[in-house]
Amino acid sequence: MQPLYDWTPVFRLMIVGLLVAAGPLVWVWLRSRGASPVQRLRVLAGLTLFLTFDLVLFGAFTRLTDSGLGCPDWPGCYGAASPIGAHADIAAAQAAMPTGPVTFSKAWIEMIHRYLATAVGALILVMAVVSTIERRRNPATPVLWPWLSLVWVCLQGAFGALTVTMKLFPAIVTLHLLGGLALLALLRLQAVRYGQADALTWQAARLSPGLRAALWALFVAVWLQVALGGWVSTNYAVLACRDFPTCQGSWWPPMDFARGFELWRELGAQGSGEALPFAALTAIHYVHRLFAYVVLAALVGVGWALRRAGMAAHGRWLLALAGWQLLTGLSNVVLEWPLVAAVAHTGGAAVLVALLAGWLAATASVPVGGAAAATRSVAAPAWRERRA
């Protein structure tokens, strides 16, 4: 009897993901011998955060090299766990269309992305389970955030599947990008909560209400700009404007906002099925560019305010990232979307999201008990380590 669904590729991908995750787990175990379980969780959260950042960058690389359909099924590659097992199918697809979406290099890029995503999911599962066990001994150990991260990474996996099965549907691909950055923010918050649970190494921080509100406003603005940037990338609208500061030689080029921001449609098409007009791509690009001016001004303003408040390092980070995003964004336009600049632009956005999420979490008034509840002035760093 023919099974309704073949689960073999799923199990094979899970095995590969577990093997990849075993390396970071062993490294954390060896590096943190003698440390408390919460301290080990904090190290593991930091490492998982780093790997998730790599995953976001590799996801951008996968999208920008048109490798998203390198394996046109999910989770395997033509039912196999790797392109090696799908050699015949990939060769046939590449022979039929040598520059098409399926080639050996694109298949490997797509599958490496899936392996890394599965490994990150495995590490998050370990943190959720260990946090639940440790909570019985240390009531300050966070449980909500690890399990929320686990649920979120599962949703990310579902969006990854939809990205393939819906053939790079722009709204799905953009949501997949936003979901990856949201996972970064969750893991950064989780690492902060582990620090708060570790009474020997954590001290809380305070910000003035006005500065904290400014950080929140900047956080929201960054998310909106990331969503607009994702919409530009997934609609391949970067080269709709090839000059700067004007667009197509004009300060207000012909634009079709209604069709450009029609969310539920296929790639390159309107909801009616007709081809998307160039004016729609121009509108997508130019809105992202105009709002970039707002976000850059906000980054500089909040960065300067942090420096004046005694948080010089935090302020320098924002000012440096503002410059980085401006440089990489301009490079995408004037150099006609080079791969390095495009990936670097996504990386800058990811760092911004993670930093702001961490600062907002570190300055929140969360009672965790013991020595970790101590507060200090805003002039001190947001966190520091000290020996017991």
Side-chain angles (χ1 to χ4, degrees), residues 5-237:
Y5 188 82
D6 184 7
W7 289 95
T8 303
V10 178
F11 294 134
R12 289 175 177 172
L13 186 66
M14 289 175 62
I15 291 172
V16 174
L18 289 172
L19 291 174
V20 176
L25 288 173
V26 171
W27 181 85
V28 170
W29 179 266
L30 295 175
R31 183 183 183 276
S32 304
R33 283 178 295 183
S36 68
V38 172
Q39 289 172 330
R40 287 181 179 175
L41 284 169
R42 187 180 179 188
V43 173
L44 182 57
L47 181 58
T48 307
L49 178 67
F50 173 75
L51 293 176
T52 304
F53 176 76
D54 294 338
L55 177 62
V56 169
L57 290 188
F58 202 82
F61 178 79
T62 301
R63 182 176 68 257
L64 294 165
T65 54
D66 294 323
S67 302
L69 297 179
C71 290
D73 55 335
W74 190 93
C77 191
Y78 289 99
S82 79
I84 296 176
H87 185 275
D89 295 292
I90 297 173
Q94 186 170 342
M97 192 179 297
T99 59
V102 180
T103 65
F104 283 103
S105 60
K106 292 179 179 180
W108 273 111
I109 291 172
E110 171 65 9
M111 288 309 297
I112 290 172
H113 178 62
R114 296 182 192 179
Y115 297 151
L116 183 56
T118 307
V120 166
L123 293 175
I124 292 174
L125 173 61
V126 169
M127 284 190 290
V129 173
V130 175
S131 295
T132 302
I133 296 173
E134 177 61 17
R135 181 65 174 260
R136 300 173 182 174
R137 291 179 290 184
N138 183 356
T141 305
V143 172
L144 172 62
W145 296 110
W147 283 101
L148 184 57
S149 297
L150 180 61
V151 171
W152 194 263
V153 79
C154 291
L155 288 175
Q156 269 297 92
F159 271 104
L162 289 174
T163 296
V164 176
T165 58
M166 295 184 70
K167 308 302 180 185
L168 306 182
F169 204 81
I172 298 298
V173 178
T174 302
L175 288 173
H176 192 47
L177 169 64
L178 292 174
L181 296 184
L183 183 61
L184 269 180
L186 283 170
L187 289 170
R188 183 69 190 96
L189 190 151
Q190 189 173 325
V192 169
R193 293 292 179 257
Y194 286 136
Q196 290 173 330
D198 183 10
L200 296 179
T201 63
W202 181 266
Q203 288 184 326
R206 289 189 185 277
L207 283 179
S208 67
L211 193 50
R212 184 170 170 77
L215 273 179
W216 268 112
L218 177 61
F219 193 51
V220 172
V222 166
W223 273 106
L224 180 56
Q225 180 66 352
V226 167
L228 290 172
W231 194 239
V232 171
S233 180
T234 56
N235 282 282
Y236 297 89

